Amino acid sequence: MKVLIINCGSSSLKYQLIDSESEAVLAKGLCERIGIDGRLSYEKTGAEKETRDAPMPTHTEAVQLVVDALTNPKTGAIASLSEIDAIGHRVVHGGEKFAGSALVTDEMLAAVKECIDLAPLHNPANLIGIDVCRKLMPGVPMVGVFDTAFHQTMPRKAYLYAIPIEYYEQYKIRKYGFHGTSHSFVSKELARFLGLKLEDSRIIVCHLGNGASISAVQGGKCVDTSMGLTPLAGLVMGTRSGDLDPSVVDFLGKKIGKDAAGVIDVLNKKSGVLGLSRGLSSDFRDLEEAASKGNKDAEAAFEVFCYRVACTVGAYAAAMNGVDAIAFTAGIGENAAGVRAQIVKYLGYLGIELDAAKNAQRGGNVKISTDASRVAACVIPTNEEIAICRETVAVLKG
Ligand code: AMP
């Protein structure tokens, strides 16, 4: 099957066309600045990447441009639209309504709409992407793959917040977790790589990217994760604060003259390692370089980030009464050897010892702990598009 993967943001649209049997990427690209001016990138596998300005006032024009690029007689990856067998859409929030991926139907879309207040920035964009594809490619089966679904197996003790229970019952305020497609893909891939039986394994996945979250996966099922009602919770991130005393919202708001929404905006966009580094950068490449030149703020940002990861790993080892293997994934987890080394230094008590030479290797799955380590630590590159493709095929095959 040829499966088109669509990941729609408020002003962007990432896409990949994947052959589900071989899992080969046939073409991929990005529409950016939708609603502003518009820029399209398109790359057919084996050919040069093309980037050009292309007006896209709305997502409709963006999807049309993607379809035109894919079927372009000279550079297209397919001869006609009829070659697209299915479309897999990333959807950010499925609330408690979706514990797995779901076929796109009118009822399914109504349920996703009911989750909009849980993800007001993301779900509307995801819904627009689905709507436009339904109009441009009627009859092509579509599947929604949710960031939250993998975490729906969390037990009540992990997802309930200790606030009056009526607020959970009435407003569904609870921990949901995000990056679920990545946590699901990486935990399975780690078990396969190490030859562990998924059903008997205790795995901790550290998805460390610009957004970052950790999950505890026992017997292949998520039992806890660090993001919450929204992706603001848990780890220190590129620009997000992660966990802090909730009283900070009121206290800081009074000091700087902002309401709760204004402070939350600061916590989402100006905090994390960007805020700690005095606005230097949210990117670990810049922070590592600055720290190596003696920048104390960059050094502190680095330390706080790694410390929080290590503490969360410890918490999840406790939650599962032990851990068999830990995976590092996403932009930082896959590329920042220094961050991994710093985190693993805290994990000696678990019986993890770093193999420095392996930690310096690049590309693919790599075990970075020594063979003598009681718990394995590995780099497992995530691949959310392949994960969405697999989910799409699985739902369609029933
Ligand atoms: P992601 O959100 O998964 O795309 O991760 C993006 C982040 O990964 C960037 O903001 C960087 O902080 C980090 N990153 C990417 N490449 C490198 C690298 N070579 N070294 C250190 N950090 C990196």
Side-chain angles (χ1 to χ4, degrees), residues 207-211 282-285 288 330-332 335-336 362:
H207 177 109
L208 310 179
N210 193 35
S282 60
D283 192 307
F284 268 77
R285 285 164 284 203
E288 281 177 332
I332 301 164
N335 297 298
R362 289 192 145 260

Side-chain angles (χ1 to χ4, degrees), residues 202 218 315-323:
R202 293 165 301 179
Q218 190 161 13
Y316 290 170
M320 297 189 288
N321 192 26
V323 53

Side-chain angles (χ1 to χ4, degrees), residues 249-314:
V249 175
D250 179 57
F251 188 90
L252 177 60
K254 284 183 181 138
K255 298 279 179 205
I256 62 175
K258 287 189 190 288
D259 60 8
V263 177
I264 295 291
D265 199 54
V266 172
L267 299 181
N268 264 311
K269 297 184 186 150
K270 297 194 173 141
S271 301
V273 291
L274 174 72
L276 283 169
S277 67
R278 221 175 292 272
L280 177 72
S281 180
S282 60
D283 192 307
F284 268 77
R285 285 164 284 203
D286 302 331
L287 295 176
E288 281 177 332
E289 197 193 330
S292 73
K293 289 182 183 151
N295 182 312
K296 293 289 172 214
D297 295 321
E299 205 178 278
F302 195 86
E303 273 174 16
V304 175
F305 178 89
C306 296
Y307 176 74
R308 182 81 57 91
V309 171
C311 290
T312 309
V313 167

Side-chain angles (χ1 to χ4, degrees), residues 3-312:
V3 183
L4 179 62
I5 309 300
I6 298 277
N7 182 352
C8 229
S10 55
S11 67
S12 69
L13 186 159
K14 273 197 262 181
Y15 65 94
Q16 282 196 7
L17 184 67
I18 298 176
D19 179 321
S20 66
E21 277 88 37
S22 63
E23 298 197 334
V25 177
L26 306 175
K28 64 178 178 183
L30 175 67
C31 299
E32 291 173 280
R33 301 175 62 82
I34 300 170
I36 307 166
D37 38 17
R39 176 182 290 266
L40 171 77
S41 80
Y42 170 77
E43 185 180 358
K44 178 180 165 183
T45 301
E48 283 233 336
K49 180 174 168 180
E50 309 159 17
T51 303
R52 63 184 170 91
D53 292 337
M56 35 183 107
T58 69
H59 287 76
T60 304
E61 291 81 11
V63 175
Q64 185 65 56
L65 283 161
V66 169
V67 162
D68 292 347
L70 287 170
T71 55
N72 182 300
K74 278 196 195 135
T75 52
I78 49 176
S80 85
L81 268 192
S82 61
E83 287 186 48
I84 298 178
D85 299 301
I87 304 179
H89 291 271
R90 177 187 179 214
V91 182
V92 167
H93 218 307
E96 287 187 331
K97 294 176 191 295
F98 296 96
S101 305
L103 189 68
V104 172
T105 60
D106 291 340
E107 297 72 44
M108 177 270 191
L109 292 176
V112 174
K113 276 188 194 131
E114 284 174 31
C115 301
I116 283 181
D117 68 339
L118 291 167
L121 297 179
H122 294 98
N123 273 24
N126 303 151
L127 281 163
I128 289 172
I130 296 175
D131 197 44
V132 173
C133 286
R134 278 182 120 194
K135 287 197 180 113
L136 290 177
M137 290 170 269
V140 178
M142 300 190 199
V143 171
V145 180
F146 298 88
D147 276 21
T148 49
F150 182 61
H151 304 302
Q152 278 295 304
T153 48
M154 275 189 288
R156 187 175 57 182
K157 65 184 177 188
Y159 71 68
L160 278 183
Y161 290 138
I163 56 175
I165 193 70
E166 297 82 357
Y167 296 145
Y168 164 62
E169 291 164 349
Q170 287 167 22
Y171 308 123
K172 296 287 170 225
I173 297 174
R174 51 161 282 180
K175 179 190 278 198
Y176 288 99
F178 297 87
H179 297 137
T181 329
S182 175
H183 286 289
S184 168
F185 176 87
V186 171
S187 54
K188 290 179 181 72
E189 184 59 15
L190 176 67
R192 191 198 61 77
F193 177 59
L194 292 174
L196 297 174
K197 253 189 162 172
L198 192 63
E199 312 83 76
D200 301 329
S201 64
R202 293 165 301 179
I203 285 172
I204 294 177
V205 176
C206 303
H207 177 109
L208 310 179
N210 193 35
S213 66
I214 302 193
S215 65
V217 183
Q218 190 161 13
K221 293 192 162 65
C222 176
V223 293
D224 207 345
T225 192
S226 60
M227 282 179 167
L229 175 77
T230 74
L232 181 55
L235 302 177
V236 174
M237 308 183 212
T239 64
R240 297 188 197 125
S241 64
D243 285 351
L244 40 70
D245 180 343
S247 307
V248 168
V249 175
D250 179 57
F251 188 90
L252 177 60
K254 284 183 181 138
K255 298 279 179 205
I256 62 175
K258 287 189 190 288
D259 60 8
V263 177
I264 295 291
D265 199 54
V266 172
L267 299 181
N268 264 311
K269 297 184 186 150
K270 297 194 173 141
S271 301
V273 291
L274 174 72
L276 283 169
S277 67
R278 221 175 292 272
L280 177 72
S281 180
S282 60
D283 192 307
F284 268 77
R285 285 164 284 203
D286 302 331
L287 295 176
E288 281 177 332
E289 197 193 330
S292 73
K293 289 182 183 151
N295 182 312
K296 293 289 172 214
D297 295 321
E299 205 178 278
F302 195 86
E303 273 174 16
V304 175
F305 178 89
C306 296
Y307 176 74
R308 182 81 57 91
V309 171
C311 290
T312 309

